[in-house]
Amino acid sequence: MNQQKTHNEQLSLANQSVANLKGELKDASYRLNYHFMAPVGWINDPNGLIQHNGVYHLFYQFNPYSFHWGPMHWGHATSTDLVHWNHEPVALAPSEDYEYDEAKNEMGCFSGSAVMNGDVMTLIYTGHLEGIENKEVQAIATSTDGIHFTKHPANPVISKSPEGLSNEFRDPKVWKHGEFWYMVVGTAVDNDGAIALYKSSNLTEWEYVGIAAKSDGTQGDMWECPDLFPLGDKYVLITSPMNTDNGKSTVMTGSMDYEKGIFTPESQREIDYGIDFYAAQTFEDDKGRRILIAWMDFPFTEFPSKVDKWSGAMTIPRELTLGEDGFVCSHPVQELRALRDIHKHYGKLALSKEDAYDLNSNKTFKHSYELKCKWTLLENEKDGKVGLRLRQSEDGSEQTIVSYDPATNEVMVDTTHAGELSHKAVNKAPLRTDNNEITLHVFVDTCSVEVFVNDGEAALSTRIYPDLASNGIELYTEGMEATVEYIDIWSFKNTGIS
Ligand code: FRU
């Protein structure tokens, strides 16, 4: 019988595959200019986000063997500014009995998180083996250099889900509060999404505290990738609920009772209203900022870059703050400003009822830029729309529309005509403020659009796949006049992530 390969052997095979596939990457046309993306193969969730000694670590779900989802490893990248990333060797490969079954060709190191335990970087992840009763267990791996990780002999540190909870039991997020480590794990109770709370003094022995929060019956039948953290004077719970019409990047603000082990939500919305945003994870950096990165795709949308043998990208990092009304706001991290290159500023512009204004007549801006504009609408004038047409072709047949509808007080990203291969949808974000003013802050990359509204009030992230030559940028009004107070556009430098 063949001896099962060690973790190091599996890592070598994975790294070798990365090197081999690198040579096979084909057409670079879908490669993003400033977003983190799969070096080769497939990526999904961000994992183990952490900063240590000034270095940011981004681990991620990674199939180093193919551009389809498959045997999950943890890929790894580092950065000192959240913008320029370096690829590191694969950090985790499935190799142990609780995550690797050679005979059945079943394996997976699923999503999880990272903490510093003194000088030891510790990854906490889910070992996944489909087809067995306790198919998901929690495991840890440690490192003293932040690059090479050793699986802990005490693994699995949690070997099954608690009595009465689903065996869908994954994506541990660990943090320290007072003397103790706490962990939330995504799961379900009676087909309602839920989070199981655990407590530990040493990261290897975990005591089950209870169900810290669960769906009210409308919030999905399983909660993937939970993240529970303090923000301002509140606690925030982010989940990625499965099988719900009610959103898929839910953020609840509320309070946490550590004595009872219960998180009580006070309000709920989506952290991002775009279709291509999933499995968000946050961490606190050394400036005390709460930073979020999410997978900028969705399992059920298209992945046109598969023809070029890679799939998956991350959103730009965002800083979360607590708004005055108690809702979570998300802002692009200020480090992104370092990418600004050519700048064009426009002052006040008055647009009539059915107007369009070309912002890119000189074709200065290609498909990698930041744009910020502020609109003032007439008071009591609700019947119409204002907005931007982006990635527009010469003949106008291809376009991605970012608009504001004062009648519904929603910002929309309409990808219906965003290119043949784009996922066609109208993504809508309801706003809370309603004062005839709207600020749209947009980040465009080769095949993505991220929109931030007002001061972080709402975000919408979508992948689009227009022709590379479709680079028109237009302001427009429909059915109503409006004033644009200012517009700033900056082309973005390429970060050199390959
Ligand atoms: C979310 C998810 C997680 C799981 C991982 C597997 O996208 O399904 O729940 O750990 O992806 O790749």
Side-chain angles (χ1 to χ4, degrees), residues 44-45 61 69 72 110-111 170-171 224-225 278-279 295:
N44 52 291
D45 316 354
Q61 288 287 278
W69 187 89
M72 280 295 113
F110 273 18
S111 286
R170 56 183 173 270
D171 312 336
E224 294 190 310
C225 303
Y278 198 65
W295 178 31

